[in-house]
Amino acid sequence: MLVSKEWLNEFVRVNVPVEELAEKITRSGIEVEEITDYSKDIKNLVVGHVLTKEKHPDADKLNVTTVDVGDETLQIVCGAPNVDAGQYVIVCRPGGRLPGGVKIKRAKLRGVESNGMICSLGELGIPKNLVPEEYETGIFNFPEEVTPGTDALEALFLQDGVMEFGLTPNRADAMSMLGSAYEVSALYEEEIEFPEAELEESGQATDSIAVKIEDLEASPYYAARVVQNVVIKSSPTWMQMRLIKAGVRPINNVVDVSNYVMMELGQPLHMFDADQIGSKEIVVRYANDGEKITTLDDKERVLTSEDIVITNGSQPIALAGVMGGDFSEVTDKTTNVVIESALFNPVNVRKTSRQTGLRSEASSRFEKGVAPERVNMALDRAAFLLQEHAEGNILAGIVVAGELPELETTVQITTDEVNNLIGFDLSNTEIKNIFERLGFDSQVDGDSFNVHVPSRRGDIIIKEDLIEEIARIYGYDELPSTLPVTNTNKRVGLTAYQSKRRAVKSLLEGLGLNQAITYALVSEEKAQQFTKQTEETVKLMMPMSADHAVLRQSLLPHLIDAVQYNNARQMKDVALYEIGNVFHGRGTNQPVEVEQLAGIITGQFSATEWQGKVEPVDFFVVKGIVEALSEKLSVQFAYERAELAELHPGRSAHVLLNGEVVGVIGQLHPLVERAHDLKDTYVFELNLQRILEETSAVKYHMIPKFPGISRDIALEVDRTRATGELIDIIMQTDNKYLQQAAVFDVYEGEHIAEDKKSVAIRMEFLNPDDTLKDEDIQPIVDKVLENLTSAGAKLRG
């Protein structure tokens, strides 16, 4: 919401700089994200009256004008096609400046002297999409007389600061100038002045139009006024410029009035050409499936039964709360107008806006709910402005259907409830004063309040909402500073689980992986990847898009997207990890959340880059990372061949802990790599929650005082045999000196049968109490070879 301080002063006068006002509003709970100063960098800008215009003697597209600027008459060469004698225009005099550091000097254009510049709105920094169409390709000229020499910024109402409110969804009340004025009034204890709406009526509106609501759920209240004999023309300058500062493009006086009142009061209106509606009846109903309407943007829309339409009794003439139809729109030929002001079901307006792709200032307000107290007020205000600025004749009475909902909500609260929750020590008088500043009527009975909250504050329903209002108006800065009160000496710090998780992150980052944080919402397709297909997914009822419709069951799909994104930007070596929750459905019960750890590596990788050894990533790099993790957490993993559709069939394995599958490692399937334009990419994903629960603490081992001994063996085994089986046989042979066994090479090819492979294994021996000798370990090695031979392995020479 863009809030002009100049416009705000029409409602509540606060004589402080806009920066100070913005700071106070921000501290009260509405963030002012930006302040736009339209006068910045502009100097020596005045109003000029064009006295004469003649063609340039040496340029077809230039005109030579004489312009009265108050104290002198200037000759100015102008290239705008719409400049003409009699106009009141914006002139930057010699020595002046325009936004962007543009300096205006006396100059000769094609041999003719030019003393200054006649300006367009764009040259003053007004965005092109907000400039009225009639001035889009030329200069701006005032629709009314202005004294020459007047400060042009003041005449254009641009001697102003415009605040951009960053509103949260619950503060729909501040989506209007009047709503913003209530906020400022409460903060500064200043009275609000309401806009004028004294009507001169004649005849009867009911003779010209009737309204009917077929379904009160769609629209509980619909009201209309009729204004006849309007004259279509440009709006006055003050209205055009206030709309521009609010981010709305001026069109003509009738359309501008509807937009002006919406920005002023927060109640969206719609103007129908009464003679083009097609009947004297307006009917509000739900659309029929497949029904069509051509909207103001000249696009045909196919409707559903969830859309609310305004009809002439037979065919739609507008999409309720979103956009009008083409044949009933106000044009230059319009003379009679029907003004619509209504309440529509916010959910249906939201669905229509989303289904049609039409987002407007009106729909954004209807979606959040408008205040019933403003519906008729906005009608009267719009009729008044048409009477004043379009010469309209107002027919007497408001034509209505339905009933307005309650205009206020009563909330009960006590002084103790206020002070106990926020820590203040406010009296009844102070609390009642805050309610009065907010515009809430209240009755006091001892320490109890009955507070009547107007419908404009639809976010205030319960006593906690009222307490929040009291706190922010009294001032969050006034909250007392106190130390926590405790009767225990309980130590504060990380839990055991948090400590272990932090150790995991430290290890992975030390190994060269970077942490990633990805979105928990995925598409239905991605939710099924890297999981058992029988797992039930958790779907959102109203997703933002099909790509974010289901809660994830694996961290890997979005990590793959992250690698693809980096690769596309010339980052070929990527190593990422993520710790996050996945979600498994349980029917109508709360889904199960499990914290998992996943990693992905592609390209060149080295955990010890200082050594200068950088090699392409392979399966054993990823397995080494998982092994390092198991060593850090003092758990023992086992591995078995895995078959997952998204992983390479010969380079993937399940990770087991005490016989239970707790994760998977492997290379992405070539089809998956090709689909994401990736080179060889390896991944792992572990049930971190289950693994951390398995160990009570991270264990540390003493650095051995005595050297260890290693022995390497090469075995010839069936090509299909899992190397993990060989490791298990070796480790079961001895538990005194044999510390670990690991595969360091697998060979298939020349000198090996086609159905065989060579597996090289290194065994590590250590006696923590003495130096090992060959005679100590040789019996163990012999026993290992005996067991391996019995299991079908053959020792290679």
XYZ file of all heavy atoms in Angstrom, residues 252-329:
593
model
N -10.269 8.441 -16.765
C -11.160 9.584 -16.954
C -11.852 9.847 -15.625
O -11.706 9.078 -14.666
C -12.162 9.349 -18.094
C -13.034 8.124 -17.864
O -13.638 7.952 -16.801
N -13.110 7.247 -18.862
N -12.636 10.916 -15.557
C -13.161 11.324 -14.257
C -14.070 10.280 -13.609
O -14.061 10.102 -12.391
C -13.881 12.665 -14.353
C -14.963 12.676 -15.418
O -15.048 11.772 -16.247
N -15.798 13.709 -15.411
N -14.840 9.533 -14.395
C -15.760 8.553 -13.809
C -14.992 7.330 -13.286
O -15.180 6.901 -12.146
C -16.828 8.127 -14.843
C -17.681 6.989 -14.294
C -17.707 9.321 -15.206
N -14.135 6.768 -14.113
C -13.338 5.623 -13.669
C -12.404 6.025 -12.536
O -12.227 5.272 -11.561
C -12.531 5.035 -14.850
C -11.616 3.911 -14.367
C -13.467 4.529 -15.926
N -11.838 7.231 -12.629
C -10.925 7.686 -11.587
C -11.625 7.809 -10.240
O -11.030 7.534 -9.192
C -10.303 9.030 -11.968
C -9.311 8.902 -13.116
O -9.014 7.755 -13.513
O -8.857 9.942 -13.626
N -12.889 8.220 -10.257
C -13.631 8.343 -8.998
C -13.745 6.990 -8.312
O -13.560 6.861 -7.091
C -15.027 8.951 -9.242
C -15.963 8.685 -8.067
C -14.913 10.452 -9.478
N -14.031 5.919 -9.065
C -14.164 4.596 -8.450
C -12.830 4.159 -7.840
O -12.789 3.620 -6.727
C -14.650 3.570 -9.474
O -13.686 3.341 -10.479
N -11.731 4.409 -8.562
C -10.417 4.041 -8.026
C -10.017 4.927 -6.849
O -9.422 4.458 -5.871
C -9.349 4.132 -9.120
C -9.464 3.018 -10.148
O -9.849 1.902 -9.825
N -9.150 3.325 -11.396
N -10.355 6.200 -6.950
C -10.006 7.140 -5.885
C -10.693 6.754 -4.578
O -10.071 6.712 -3.515
C -10.405 8.555 -6.301
C -9.976 9.627 -5.324
C -8.712 10.197 -5.396
C -10.836 10.071 -4.323
C -8.313 11.180 -4.505
C -10.443 11.054 -3.421
C -9.185 11.601 -3.513
O -8.787 12.575 -2.622
N -11.973 6.430 -4.650
C -12.727 6.068 -3.443
C -12.209 4.744 -2.877
O -12.133 4.557 -1.660
C -14.236 6.004 -3.733
C -15.007 5.466 -2.538
C -14.754 7.380 -4.130
N -11.846 3.810 -3.755
C -11.280 2.543 -3.281
C -9.992 2.797 -2.498
O -9.795 2.236 -1.405
C -11.000 1.613 -4.456
C -10.282 0.318 -4.063
S -10.002 -0.798 -5.440
C -8.841 0.180 -6.419
N -9.095 3.636 -3.023
C -7.858 3.917 -2.322
C -8.108 4.761 -1.077
O -7.385 4.638 -0.077
C -6.864 4.643 -3.237
C -6.561 3.929 -4.549
S -6.012 2.222 -4.368
C -4.485 2.424 -3.492
N -9.136 5.567 -1.113
C -9.432 6.459 0.002
C -10.091 5.718 1.168
O -9.699 5.878 2.329
C -10.360 7.580 -0.478
C -10.678 8.626 0.569
C -11.585 9.711 0.005
O -12.684 9.395 -0.488
O -11.193 10.885 0.074
N -11.086 4.875 0.867
C -11.882 4.224 1.911
C -11.647 2.726 2.020
O -12.109 2.099 2.977
C -13.374 4.490 1.674
C -13.815 5.959 1.597
C -15.317 6.045 1.376
C -13.411 6.715 2.856
N -11.005 2.123 1.034
C -10.748 0.692 1.085
C -11.876 -0.163 0.551
O -11.784 -1.393 0.602
N -12.946 0.448 0.055
C -14.081 -0.293 -0.483
C -14.021 -0.248 -2.012
O -14.202 0.806 -2.615
C -15.401 0.302 -0.004
C -16.650 -0.265 -0.683
C -16.861 -1.740 -0.405
O -16.703 -2.199 0.710
N -17.220 -2.497 -1.423
N -13.754 -1.380 -2.683
C -13.749 -1.382 -4.146
C -15.146 -1.082 -4.701
O -16.161 -1.536 -4.157
C -13.309 -2.807 -4.504
C -12.626 -3.327 -3.283
C -13.341 -2.692 -2.128
N -15.171 -0.319 -5.774
C -16.421 0.012 -6.469
C -16.304 -0.415 -7.926
O -15.214 -0.682 -8.425
C -16.687 1.522 -6.413
C -16.741 2.186 -5.037
C -16.876 3.693 -5.206
C -17.900 1.644 -4.213
N -17.453 -0.465 -8.594
C -17.422 -0.675 -10.041
C -18.450 0.243 -10.677
O -19.566 0.407 -10.158
C -17.727 -2.122 -10.416
C -17.527 -2.397 -11.879
N -16.281 -2.440 -12.459
C -18.414 -2.607 -12.888
C -16.400 -2.670 -13.752
N -17.677 -2.779 -14.038
N -18.049 0.865 -11.793
C -18.932 1.758 -12.541
C -19.442 1.052 -13.785
O -18.650 0.627 -14.629
C -18.175 3.029 -12.947
C -17.610 3.834 -11.788
S -18.888 4.780 -10.945
C -17.889 5.774 -9.834
N -20.765 0.915 -13.898
C -21.389 0.369 -15.100
C -21.972 1.508 -15.937
O -22.509 2.481 -15.398
C -22.539 -0.584 -14.738
C -22.115 -1.850 -14.047
C -22.310 -2.007 -12.677
C -21.539 -2.895 -14.753
C -21.944 -3.167 -12.037
C -21.171 -4.065 -14.128
C -21.364 -4.205 -12.767
N -21.868 1.366 -17.238
C -22.628 2.244 -18.141
C -24.070 1.768 -18.082
O -24.413 0.691 -18.576
C -22.078 2.140 -19.559
C -22.735 3.139 -20.505
O -23.951 3.408 -20.344
O -22.050 3.630 -21.420
N -24.928 2.555 -17.453
C -26.314 2.122 -17.204
C -27.052 1.788 -18.491
O -27.929 0.906 -18.500
C -27.066 3.204 -16.431
N -26.714 2.457 -19.581
C -27.436 2.247 -20.848
C -26.935 1.016 -21.595
O -27.538 0.614 -22.591
C -27.285 3.490 -21.737
C -27.844 4.735 -21.069
O -28.937 4.632 -20.473
O -27.179 5.785 -21.119
N -25.808 0.430 -21.131
C -25.252 -0.736 -21.811
C -25.417 -2.031 -21.025
O -25.005 -3.092 -21.484
C -23.750 -0.508 -22.082
C -23.443 0.699 -22.957
C -24.084 0.589 -24.333
O -24.089 -0.481 -24.944
N -24.639 1.694 -24.815
N -26.021 -1.958 -19.852
C -26.192 -3.158 -19.030
C -27.076 -4.181 -19.734
O -26.853 -5.380 -19.660
C -26.776 -2.783 -17.647
C -25.710 -2.044 -16.822
C -27.262 -4.018 -16.892
C -26.197 -1.549 -15.478
N -28.096 -3.696 -20.440
C -28.965 -4.612 -21.182
C -30.289 -4.884 -20.496
O -31.139 -5.610 -21.032
N -30.489 -4.345 -19.306
C -31.775 -4.465 -18.602
C -31.772 -3.470 -17.452
O -30.761 -2.808 -17.198
C -31.988 -5.890 -18.083
O -31.182 -6.123 -16.950
N -32.885 -3.414 -16.747
C -32.975 -2.551 -15.570
C -32.852 -3.369 -14.284
O -33.281 -2.932 -13.217
C -34.294 -1.775 -15.582
C -34.356 -0.700 -16.659
C -35.565 0.194 -16.484
C -35.550 1.341 -17.482
N -36.673 2.277 -17.276
N -32.258 -4.549 -14.415
C -32.108 -5.421 -13.258
C -30.674 -5.929 -13.187
O -30.078 -6.288 -14.189
C -33.072 -6.611 -13.367
C -32.986 -7.567 -12.194
C -33.902 -8.776 -12.355
O -33.984 -9.298 -13.487
O -34.500 -9.194 -11.357
N -30.133 -5.937 -11.981
C -28.822 -6.534 -11.717
C -29.029 -7.720 -10.790
O -29.656 -7.601 -9.732
C -27.868 -5.508 -11.077
C -27.459 -4.450 -12.108
C -26.627 -6.201 -10.506
C -26.560 -3.372 -11.561
N -28.516 -8.871 -11.205
C -28.673 -10.103 -10.431
C -27.281 -10.653 -10.110
O -26.444 -10.812 -10.996
C -29.500 -11.155 -11.199
C -29.635 -12.431 -10.367
C -30.876 -10.603 -11.551
N -27.062 -10.955 -8.832
C -25.795 -11.530 -8.378
C -26.002 -13.022 -8.139
O -26.929 -13.416 -7.427
C -25.307 -10.858 -7.079
C -23.913 -11.365 -6.703
C -25.292 -9.348 -7.227
N -25.126 -13.836 -8.713
C -25.271 -15.290 -8.554
C -23.926 -15.958 -8.818
O -22.964 -15.322 -9.250
C -26.318 -15.832 -9.538
C -25.993 -15.599 -11.016
C -26.961 -16.333 -11.921
N -26.830 -15.987 -13.324
C -25.913 -16.481 -14.155
N -25.011 -17.352 -13.698
N -25.884 -16.109 -15.432
N -23.909 -17.283 -8.554
C -22.769 -18.083 -8.965
C -22.870 -18.354 -10.460
O -23.971 -18.516 -11.006
C -22.722 -19.411 -8.201
C -22.207 -19.293 -6.783
C -23.043 -19.541 -5.698
C -20.883 -18.950 -6.532
C -22.569 -19.446 -4.390
C -20.405 -18.849 -5.232
C -21.255 -19.094 -4.173
O -20.778 -18.990 -2.891
N -21.725 -18.419 -11.120
C -21.714 -18.703 -12.555
C -22.064 -20.170 -12.798
O -21.959 -21.017 -11.911
C -20.338 -18.396 -13.135
N -22.500 -20.440 -14.009
C -22.719 -21.815 -14.436
C -21.420 -22.354 -15.034
O -20.653 -21.607 -15.666
C -23.829 -21.883 -15.487
C -25.148 -21.344 -14.954
O -25.544 -21.653 -13.834
N -25.835 -20.517 -15.753
N -21.129 -23.627 -14.808
C -19.932 -24.227 -15.392
C -19.935 -24.052 -16.908
O -20.925 -24.377 -17.578
C -19.859 -25.717 -15.051
C -19.323 -25.962 -13.650
O -18.426 -25.214 -13.233
O -19.813 -26.884 -12.976
N -18.840 -23.506 -17.439
C -18.729 -23.307 -18.879
C -19.280 -21.978 -19.360
O -19.139 -21.640 -20.542
N -19.920 -21.209 -18.487
C -20.427 -19.892 -18.873
C -19.253 -18.979 -19.226
O -18.164 -19.094 -18.667
C -21.233 -19.298 -17.706
C -22.124 -18.141 -18.098
C -23.110 -17.780 -16.993
O -22.934 -18.246 -15.848
O -24.070 -17.060 -17.284
N -19.483 -18.052 -20.163
C -18.386 -17.226 -20.660
C -18.673 -15.743 -20.455
O -19.824 -15.318 -20.418
C -18.148 -17.493 -22.149
C -17.717 -18.923 -22.467
C -17.522 -19.137 -23.960
C -17.099 -20.577 -24.256
N -16.905 -20.798 -25.706
N -17.576 -14.980 -20.316
C -17.652 -13.529 -20.243
C -16.387 -12.949 -20.854
O -15.296 -13.510 -20.702
C -17.811 -13.038 -18.782
C -17.913 -11.503 -18.741
C -16.669 -13.513 -17.914
C -18.173 -10.944 -17.354
N -16.529 -11.852 -21.581
C -15.373 -11.133 -22.102
C -15.113 -9.961 -21.176
O -15.962 -9.078 -21.027
C -15.611 -10.638 -23.537
O -15.900 -11.756 -24.380
C -14.377 -9.919 -24.058
N -13.963 -9.962 -20.535
C -13.646 -8.950 -19.542
C -13.050 -7.698 -20.194
O -12.835 -7.648 -21.410
C -12.672 -9.523 -18.498
O -11.605 -10.209 -19.168
C -13.384 -10.521 -17.587
N -12.762 -6.699 -19.352
C -12.303 -5.406 -19.860
C -10.984 -5.481 -20.625
O -10.672 -4.583 -21.402
C -12.138 -4.417 -18.694
C -13.443 -3.948 -18.031
C -13.134 -3.084 -16.831
C -14.304 -3.181 -19.021
N -10.222 -6.563 -20.408
C -8.959 -6.715 -21.128
C -9.153 -7.418 -22.474
O -8.187 -7.868 -23.087
C -7.937 -7.470 -20.284
C -8.455 -8.835 -19.828
O -9.602 -9.177 -20.176
O -7.714 -9.538 -19.127
N -10.436 -7.527 -22.905
C -10.792 -8.116 -24.206
C -10.460 -9.601 -24.304
O -10.265 -10.128 -25.399
C -10.108 -7.366 -25.354
C -10.612 -5.938 -25.491
O -11.825 -5.723 -25.241
O -9.818 -5.054 -25.818
N -10.412 -10.296 -23.175
C -10.184 -11.739 -23.184
C -11.443 -12.468 -22.748
O -12.110 -12.056 -21.803
C -9.025 -12.111 -22.256
C -7.677 -11.600 -22.735
C -6.555 -12.080 -21.811
C -5.194 -11.586 -22.304
N -4.090 -12.030 -21.414
N -11.745 -13.543 -23.481
C -12.916 -14.343 -23.120
C -12.532 -15.306 -22.000
O -11.545 -16.024 -22.093
C -13.435 -15.120 -24.325
C -14.740 -15.864 -24.051
C -15.292 -16.560 -25.282
O -14.712 -17.601 -25.675
O -16.273 -16.063 -25.848
N -13.340 -15.311 -20.944
C -13.065 -16.161 -19.790
C -14.148 -17.234 -19.690
O -15.343 -16.940 -19.808
C -13.086 -15.344 -18.494
C -12.258 -14.062 -18.566
C -10.793 -14.324 -18.426
N -10.006 -13.083 -18.544
C -8.709 -13.009 -18.395
N -8.022 -14.100 -18.123
N -8.071 -11.859 -18.520
N -13.700 -18.463 -19.467
C -14.627 -19.570 -19.244
C -14.749 -19.763 -17.737
O -13.753 -19.970 -17.037
C -14.135 -20.867 -19.919
C -15.121 -22.000 -19.655
C -13.962 -20.645 -21.413
N -15.971 -19.698 -17.229
C -16.201 -19.654 -15.786
C -16.563 -21.027 -15.223
O -16.921 -21.943 -15.953
C -17.316 -18.646 -15.475
C -17.135 -17.249 -16.077
C -18.314 -16.358 -15.725
C -15.831 -16.621 -15.611
N -16.448 -21.109 -13.890
C -16.842 -22.316 -13.171
C -17.928 -21.945 -12.162
O -18.218 -20.767 -11.937
C -15.645 -22.940 -12.426
O -15.315 -22.103 -11.301
C -14.434 -23.063 -13.344
N -18.474 -22.954 -11.524
C -19.564 -22.726 -10.563
C -19.063 -22.076 -9.275
O -19.875 -21.734 -8.409
C -20.251 -24.055 -10.233
O -19.315 -24.979 -9.706
N -17.742 -21.879 -9.126
C -17.213 -21.209 -7.941
C -17.027 -19.713 -8.165
O -16.727 -18.981 -7.226
C -15.875 -21.839 -7.533
C -16.014 -23.262 -7.001
C -14.707 -23.787 -6.460
O -13.662 -23.519 -7.099
O -14.721 -24.451 -5.418
N -17.193 -19.257 -9.405
C -17.062 -17.833 -9.713
C -18.376 -17.118 -9.421
O -19.457 -17.638 -9.695
C -16.689 -17.633 -11.180
C -15.369 -18.291 -11.549
O -14.436 -18.195 -10.747
O -15.290 -18.904 -12.631
N -18.262 -15.906 -8.870
C -19.440 -15.070 -8.633
C -19.542 -14.068 -9.782
O -18.544 -13.428 -10.136
C -19.341 -14.328 -7.291
C -19.101 -15.321 -6.145
C -20.601 -13.524 -7.019
C -18.770 -14.652 -4.826
N -20.715 -13.943 -10.348
C -20.897 -13.021 -11.474
C -22.014 -12.026 -11.179
O -22.965 -12.320 -10.449
C -21.212 -13.772 -12.789
C -20.001 -14.532 -13.276
C -22.387 -14.704 -12.630
N -21.853 -10.842 -11.752
C -22.911 -9.830 -11.776
C -23.566 -9.936 -13.149
O -22.869 -9.906 -14.169
C -22.344 -8.407 -11.576
C -21.324 -8.377 -10.431
C -23.461 -7.415 -11.359
C -21.862 -8.813 -9.106
N -24.858 -10.086 -13.188
C -25.549 -10.289 -14.467
C -26.642 -9.242 -14.665
O -27.042 -8.540 -13.727
C -26.188 -11.691 -14.522
O -27.360 -11.715 -13.687
C -25.218 -12.770 -14.061
N -27.121 -9.182 -15.890
C -28.268 -8.321 -16.197
C -29.571 -9.112 -16.144
O -30.573 -8.720 -16.733
C -28.096 -7.660 -17.565
C -27.923 -8.693 -18.681
O -28.135 -9.896 -18.479
N -27.508 -8.225 -19.858
N -29.505 -10.238 -15.448
C -30.660 -11.120 -15.346
C -30.522 -12.332 -16.221
O -31.164 -13.362 -15.977
N -29.653 -12.252 -17.238
C -29.467 -13.397 -18.129
C -27.995 -13.679 -18.367
O -27.531 -14.816 -18.217
C -30.181 -13.148 -19.467
O -29.698 -11.957 -20.081
N -27.196 -12.677 -18.703
C -25.793 -12.917 -19.020
C -24.880 -12.101 -18.112
O -25.254 -11.023 -17.615
C -25.509 -12.571 -20.486
C -25.724 -11.106 -20.842
C -25.529 -10.849 -22.318
O -26.412 -10.333 -22.987
N -24.355 -11.196 -22.807
N -23.659 -12.614 -17.835
C -22.728 -11.905 -16.952
C -22.282 -10.567 -17.545
O -22.023 -10.456 -18.747
C -21.543 -12.873 -16.846
C -22.082 -14.204 -17.229
C -23.140 -13.931 -18.250
N -22.201 -9.569 -16.677
C -21.680 -8.266 -17.086
C -20.422 -7.899 -16.294
O -19.779 -6.898 -16.594
C -22.744 -7.157 -16.946
C -23.227 -7.059 -15.491
C -23.908 -7.397 -17.890
C -24.167 -5.894 -15.248
N -20.094 -8.728 -15.293
C -18.869 -8.486 -14.516
C -18.529 -9.721 -13.700
O -19.409 -10.495 -13.323
C -19.041 -7.279 -13.591
N -17.222 -9.902 -13.454
C -16.737 -10.915 -12.514
C -16.659 -10.245 -11.151
O -15.861 -9.323 -10.953
C -15.361 -11.423 -12.930
C -15.294 -12.542 -13.959
C -13.841 -12.797 -14.339
C -15.928 -13.804 -13.430
N -17.480 -10.674 -10.207
C -17.599 -10.002 -8.918
C -16.255 -9.862 -8.229
O -15.533 -10.835 -8.035
C -18.564 -10.777 -8.024
N -15.912 -8.622 -7.876
C -14.709 -8.353 -7.120
C -13.418 -8.416 -7.898
O -12.349 -8.181 -7.339
N -13.490 -8.729 -9.205
C -12.268 -8.926 -9.982
C -12.185 -7.965 -11.166
O -11.271 -7.146 -11.257
C -12.156 -10.390 -10.467
C -10.897 -10.584 -11.303
C -12.151 -11.339 -9.277
N -13.133 -8.043 -12.102
C -13.073 -7.194 -13.291
C -14.435 -7.134 -13.959
O -15.207 -8.096 -13.923
C -12.022 -7.707 -14.287
C -11.802 -6.805 -15.488
S -10.450 -7.359 -16.592
C -9.034 -6.828 -15.648
N -14.725 -5.994 -14.584
C -15.991 -5.813 -15.289
C -15.973 -6.437 -16.670
O -14.941 -6.837 -17.195
N -17.155 -6.498 -17.273
C -17.282 -6.999 -18.627
C -17.095 -5.881 -19.643
O -17.237 -4.698 -19.325
N -16.790 -6.271 -20.885
C -16.433 -5.261 -21.880
C -17.606 -4.408 -22.337
O -17.459 -3.207 -22.540
C -15.763 -5.929 -23.082
C -16.673 -6.930 -23.785
O -17.673 -7.366 -23.173
O -16.377 -7.268 -24.950
N -18.792 -4.991 -22.480
C -19.865 -4.218 -23.117
C -20.542 -3.237 -22.156
O -21.274 -2.354 -22.592
C -20.903 -5.136 -23.761
C -21.728 -5.948 -22.794
C -22.883 -5.427 -22.248
C -21.357 -7.230 -22.460
C -23.659 -6.171 -21.373
C -22.120 -7.988 -21.599
C -23.275 -7.464 -21.039
N -20.314 -3.352 -20.846
C -20.950 -2.426 -19.902
C -19.947 -1.441 -19.317
O -20.253 -0.749 -18.344
C -21.622 -3.204 -18.769
O -20.668 -3.974 -18.056
N -18.728 -1.373 -19.884
C -17.717 -0.483 -19.326
C -18.015 0.977 -19.652
O -18.722 1.303 -20.621
C -16.339 -0.854 -19.860
C -16.133 -0.557 -21.329
C -14.706 -0.819 -21.790
O -13.771 -0.347 -21.100
O -14.525 -1.496 -22.813
